[in-house]
Amino acid sequence: MLDLKLLASSSAGLLLVYWYLRRTVRSPYASLPLPPGPKPLPIIGNLLQIPTRHEAQVYQQWGRDLNSDILYLNLAGVSIVVINSAEIANELLERRSSIYSSRPDSVMCTELMGFDDLVPLVPYGDTWRAMRRFLHREFHPQASLQYRPFQIEATHDFLRRLLESPDNFSTHITHMSGKAIMDITYAIKVEPYDDPRIRTASLAVEAVAEASCPGAFWVDTFSFLKYVPEWMPGAGFQRKAREWHAVADDMYNKPYDTAKQLLASGTSAPSFVSRCLEGLNGTQSDSDVQENLIKKTAGTLYAAGTDTTSSTVKTFLLAMLLNPDMQAKAQKELDEVVGHGNLPDFSHQDSLPYVNAIVKESLRWRPVTPQGIAHVVTTEDMFDGYRIPAGSVVIPNQWAMLHNETTYPNPSRFNPERFLDSAGRLDPSVKDPALAAFGFGRRICPGRFLALSSIYIDIACVLATFNIAKAVDADGVPITPPGDYTPNGIVVSPLDFKASITPRSKATRAAILAQST
């Protein structure tokens, strides 16, 4: 018979050993101070100080006030580390990527909203590695070249839409990005106007962008709130989560089901989904798991590829409207290299340094993800004499990195010439903003080569064919846009502004109309 007294004494002994070890075995970094940060309040720490608007700019200012490029916040027990310099980001997120590559556990975004398998949010591990393999195989630099015809087709369609209704340029930009990514991901031809799948992608990005901000929803800090019913006062987040979950389901399932139907009928063109499905092998159960990963990875491409590129192209238009002299220089270069009345393509890219500089400056001036996408450090670490607790959420402040006065003098000014040398060639000594704009380490954006080629061809073709100027009011007075952006969220975009977009000449108009529809 089991000796209960012996069991009890053994259990007590194990507990004493555990208590002793907890008291005596300490982290080698336990005595080190935490990085500086705003003074916390008792219990809740900095929870009430966390910014809800223009977060990246607030973090940058805190860093200046505290004379530190690394900051620490405590949100009711959740450690937040903010990195304001590219050098620190490279040291921690690149060189120490083995412990800095996971993602925060967001109750709101993953459990309640259903975005748990969105690749940027998946924790570091086997599932993420499997999804990443699909993306790397299809979107490494050489593989990305196969998608250029889709990008050119979408850009030419965009030019025609600008001719027809230039005032709707913002809608046309979103349609252009959505058209290209739907072709590339699913081989689906979108509807000419107001395609519901493009709307779904935009809604998904908006939802994730809002929910992923640290401190945006208290349920991420106090997880027990997920059990609060929707009808209770203060539980409006539950209603939002339910509505956003429906968006997530549509994003993952509807285009994927259509792509599978096209594939089964033999009418599908090659796409990311078709190539991944054709490569499946193994047992039925393994194939089912792999197929689910393909579906979720495709959903990520579909959502992320629609709004992020759109934001950069809108930033470019805003910059050209505000800087007509720079627009004129780029158009002169295009006319000399491509010929006035001709549309540029990828064969011209290496001969267009000023246009390429505009692409770089559009990425730098108003980064699409100003506060980056948060990492999580899985093991306690030390940097520059500071302790970084295990489990800390690490925010790479891309805005601060891309607006560093030492790297980019006068950073608030849009100035593509900062990337050129005295001979007008791209200057390799100036840091490429893409090194920060697309993330860091093992979590760097796998679609960055695709995104960069899309942005180049969009910008080059618009500059070659249109003049972008200030719109005028009823009295003929030019309207200068304030240049405001969405004030919060992981992904930001220019708020709607008016612009006058007109063909440069009859020759450029004819060049646009000459492209087949």
Side-chain angles (χ1 to χ4, degrees):
M1 181 177 289
L2 183 65
D3 190 330
L4 295 180
K5 288 184 178 180
L6 179 61
L7 179 62
S9 63
S10 298
S11 299
L14 288 171
L15 286 173
L16 284 171
V17 171
Y18 175 74
W19 177 82
Y20 175 78
L21 290 173
R22 284 290 303 271
R23 298 276 296 185
T24 58
V25 180
R26 303 180 67 198
S27 160
Y29 309 131
S31 62
L32 295 178
L34 295 165
K39 186 177 180 180
L41 296 171
I43 302 175
I44 63 171
N46 305 108
L47 190 62
L48 299 182
Q49 297 161 285
I50 195 80
T52 57
R53 295 168 60 87
H54 307 296
E55 298 95 327
Q57 291 89 333
V58 173
Y59 296 144
Q60 182 186 37
Q61 188 58 50
W62 283 352
R64 288 170 174 164
D65 295 342
L66 295 166
N67 194 29
S68 176
D69 285 329
I70 184 167
L71 306 173
Y72 179 82
L73 307 170
N74 181 335
L75 305 189
V78 178
S79 295
I80 306 288
V81 174
V82 179
I83 299 172
N84 279 342
S85 88
E87 291 73 23
I88 298 177
N90 286 326
E91 173 59 37
L92 301 185
L93 307 183
E94 296 274 357
R95 296 188 182 94
R96 308 185 196 181
S97 61
S98 61
I99 62 171
Y100 280 89
S101 293
S102 202
R103 293 299 198 200
D105 180 19
S106 169
V107 173
M108 182 67 177
C109 212
T110 59
E111 292 187 42
L112 299 183
M113 291 167 54
F115 286 100
D116 48 314
D117 284 327
L118 200 69
V119 177
L121 305 182
V122 173
Y124 187 65
D126 290 342
T127 297
W128 174 81
R129 290 187 189 94
M131 301 172 94
R132 183 76 175 201
R133 278 195 293 272
F134 287 129
L135 292 168
H136 176 74
R137 186 182 67 194
E138 294 296 325
F139 297 106
H140 63 76
Q142 192 62 34
S144 295
L145 300 178
Q146 66 187 309
Y147 300 114
R148 286 183 168 181
F150 298 114
Q151 295 171 314
I152 290 175
E153 180 185 341
T155 301
H156 290 177
D157 178 72
F158 170 57
L159 299 179
R160 287 190 294 273
R161 290 170 184 273
L162 282 180
L163 274 182
E164 295 170 4
S165 51
D167 291 344
N168 295 329
F169 65 88
S170 183
T171 300
H172 299 331
I173 291 171
T174 302
H175 185 276
M176 170 183 61
S177 299
K179 175 182 171 62
I181 206 64
M182 288 296 288
D183 247 339
I184 290 166
T185 308
Y186 301 105
I188 293 175
K189 300 298 182 183
V190 299
E191 296 177 12
Y193 295 96
D194 200 24
D195 187 277
R197 289 160 295 210
I198 295 177
R199 280 203 314 276
T200 296
S202 295
L203 289 172
V205 171
E206 290 170 9
V208 172
E210 181 176 342
S212 296
C213 289
F217 291 95
W218 281 30
V219 69
D220 284 331
T221 304
F222 306 107
S223 59
F224 64 85
L225 292 175
K226 66 184 177 182
Y227 301 112
V228 174
E230 185 178 323
W231 51 265
M232 284 192 66
F237 71 92
Q238 292 282 24
R239 175 188 55 78
K240 279 190 170 185
R242 174 174 51 80
E243 293 171 352
W244 285 341
H245 203 299
V247 172
D249 290 342
D250 287 349
M251 181 196 78
Y252 284 129
N253 296 318
K254 287 189 174 180
Y256 183 79
D257 291 343
T258 300
K260 282 195 70 176
Q261 291 167 8
L262 292 171
L263 195 59
S265 67
T267 59
S268 175
S271 68
F272 170 80
V273 166
S274 69
R275 277 187 286 271
C276 289
L277 288 176
E278 289 165 356
L280 288 182
N281 51 52
T283 64
Q284 181 61 47
S285 61
D286 181 62
S287 292
D288 290 343
V289 170
Q290 292 295 307
E291 184 175 346
N292 184 61
L293 291 177
I294 292 168
K295 177 169 71 173
K296 298 304 177 65
T297 306
T300 299
L301 276 172
Y302 158 44
T306 299
D307 268 29
T308 50
T309 301
S310 299
S311 176
T312 302
V313 176
K314 291 174 187 177
T315 288
F316 150 73
L317 288 178
L318 177 64
M320 293 299 96
L321 179 154
L322 297 173
N323 299 281
D325 55 327
M326 298 174 190
Q327 180 180 181
K329 287 181 181 178
Q331 289 171 334
K332 181 176 182 293
E333 178 181 77
L334 282 156
D335 289 348
E336 291 173 352
V337 173
V338 182
H340 186 82
N342 296 318
L343 299 183
D345 57 32
F346 289 102
S347 68
H348 302 110
Q349 187 169 7
D350 291 343
S351 302
L352 297 169
Y354 198 90
V355 172
N356 283 302
I358 287 177
V359 170
K360 291 178 184 292
E361 186 70 339
S362 297
L363 288 170
R364 186 208 65 83
W365 186 53
R366 295 291 185 268
V368 175
T369 52
Q371 57 179 322
I373 300 178
H375 292 231
V376 165
V377 57
T378 53
T379 302
E380 187 162 88
D381 196 19
M382 182 272 288
F383 175 77
D384 198 25
Y386 295 121
R387 177 170 66 93
I388 300 177
S392 294
V393 175
V394 182
I395 298 175
N397 188 350
Q398 294 174 6
W399 174 275
M401 298 174 202
L402 295 172
H403 285 74
N404 181 298
E405 293 86 351
T406 302
T407 308
Y408 306 108
N410 195 6
S412 62
R413 178 172 179 256
F414 186 92
N415 178 22
E417 294 183 15
R418 70 174 77 246
F419 297 104
L420 302 174
D421 61 20
S422 58
R425 299 167 301 202
L426 287 173
D427 186 349
S429 69
V430 181
K431 192 163 188 176
D432 188 343
L435 296 174
F438 290 101
F440 298 90
R442 301 180 188 185
R443 302 309 294 243
I444 193 168
C445 173
R448 62 194 181 279
F449 305 109
L450 191 73
L452 285 169
S453 59
S454 285
I455 294 167
Y456 157 75
I457 198 65
D458 298 340
I459 286 176
C461 282
V462 170
L463 285 169
T465 53
F466 287 97
N467 287 320
I468 302 116
K470 294 179 181 180
V472 296
D473 62 18
D475 297 322
V477 178
I479 302 170
T480 300
D484 293 334
Y485 278 63
T486 46
N488 54 17
I490 295 295
V491 178
V492 302
S493 186
L495 296 178
D496 287 343
F497 60 94
K498 293 183 180 296
S500 171
I501 302 177
T502 55
R504 291 181 62 203
S505 67
K506 290 181 179 179
T508 61
R509 180 185 180 89
I512 295 170
L513 295 175
Q515 303 305 312
S516 60
T517 58

